[in-house]
Amino acid sequence: MRTPFFVLIAISAIAGAQAPQPDGGGVVRGVLPDRWQISGPQCPPDPHFQVHEYNANLVLLRESGCSNYEKPFLFLVFGTAKVLLLDTGAGRTDVAQVVQRVIAQWLARNGNGTIELVVAHTHAHGDHIAGDAQLKALPSTTVVGLAPEAVQSFFGFKNWPDEVRPFDLGNRIVDVIPIPGHEPSSIAIYDRQTGLLFTGDTLYPGRLYVRDAAAFARSIQRLVDFSRGKIIAHILGNHIEQTRTPYLDYPIGTVHQPDEHTFELGRAHLLELNDALHAMNGTVIRMALRDFTVWPVTSR
Ligand SMILES: [Zn+2]
Ligand SMILES: [Zn+2]
């Protein structure tokens, strides 16, 4: 039987956005570690970041639990003109030195003399901005402000939060998606090159603190809508608080997490979160799911 023309159009519209074959989806691939370095129980005098090259142009940093129990992740995304640093960590660290070293290695490998550093934040909480002052002191560096207005004007938002803005790093565009709810300045970043979706503290294997329930629910729906039909290689948040045992987390403040959950989540987790929020119908309640917990708070 001949396939009717309109069916062909429908199929090609879907095929254009998603991968027709299990061939990697056309994104630049990378590798995540099987396990991250475990902090503690004894802490070295000089705690450090674990630096992991996802691929040649995307580097993940994880802060040691020995410098701060939050153990946040930071991300460096390299374009040809700019490198984007997402977040600056918690507590007192040598983050600017570590970032400078990674950038110097990249420049040497690529035969470049310099690259502009843009420092943005997944959101404005203290465990992701503590290194800002150090980074502001670096040359060729712009540190985006923390208030929602500063984020909006830097990325050129006219219709926050109902707008997605592209940000060009030079032959590499990332999409900036407003996701207020955990915090008013919260953004997600989608890297078209790798298919990675960075979600900050809004979605990660741990306690998803919801401060503004209505905004949070709308933001998760916005992420679902944005990601529909796109290649989502991994969803990467900012922390790991979950264990590998379903429905079980490490208590707040835990440094030593020998059996922590994998860092990466997928779009299925986003759909699961959206489904749970829809079922709560406007009143967000604490609810443990297999890989994360919805956790309403009045201040955080
Ligand atoms: Zn936060
Ligand atoms: Zn955090």
Side-chain angles (χ1 to χ4, degrees), residues 1-8 11:
M1 193 185 91
R2 280 191 59 199
T3 310
F5 183 59
F6 68 89
V7 174
L8 280 178
I11 290 171

Side-chain angles (χ1 to χ4, degrees), residues 5 18 21 29 37 39 44 53 56-57 65 73 99 117 128 131 150 159 163 181 199 207 226 228 282 287:
F5 183 59
Q18 288 171 327
Q21 302 293 337
R29 298 174 209 179
Q37 285 169 14
S39 302
E53 241 180 49
N57 297 310
F73 287 84
V99 166
L117 172 61
H128 306 286
N159 190 26
E163 181 186 8
T199 48
R207 294 173 289 274
F226 170 82
R228 184 173 294 120
M287 180 179 284

Side-chain angles (χ1 to χ4, degrees), residues 27-30 54-60 75-84 106 109-110 115 165-176 189-198:
V27 294
V28 177
R29 298 174 209 179
Y54 179 76
N55 63 35
N57 297 310
L58 199 144
V59 177
L60 280 62
F75 310 94
L76 275 164
V77 184
F78 287 88
T80 53
K82 295 175 183 164
V83 51
L84 174 67
W106 187 91
R109 209 164 50 201
N110 288 275
I115 190 166
R165 290 288 304 160
F167 184 60
D168 193 351
L169 300 172
N171 295 318
R172 181 175 207 166
I173 293 173
V174 298
D175 294 298
V176 184
I189 300 274
Y190 177 68
D191 175 30
R192 299 182 192 180
Q193 190 176 107
T194 57
L196 294 178
L197 179 62
F198 302 102

Side-chain angles (χ1 to χ4, degrees), residues 123 125 127-128 182 201:
H123 64 294
H125 281 156
D127 53 331
H128 306 286
H182 170 74
D201 280 3

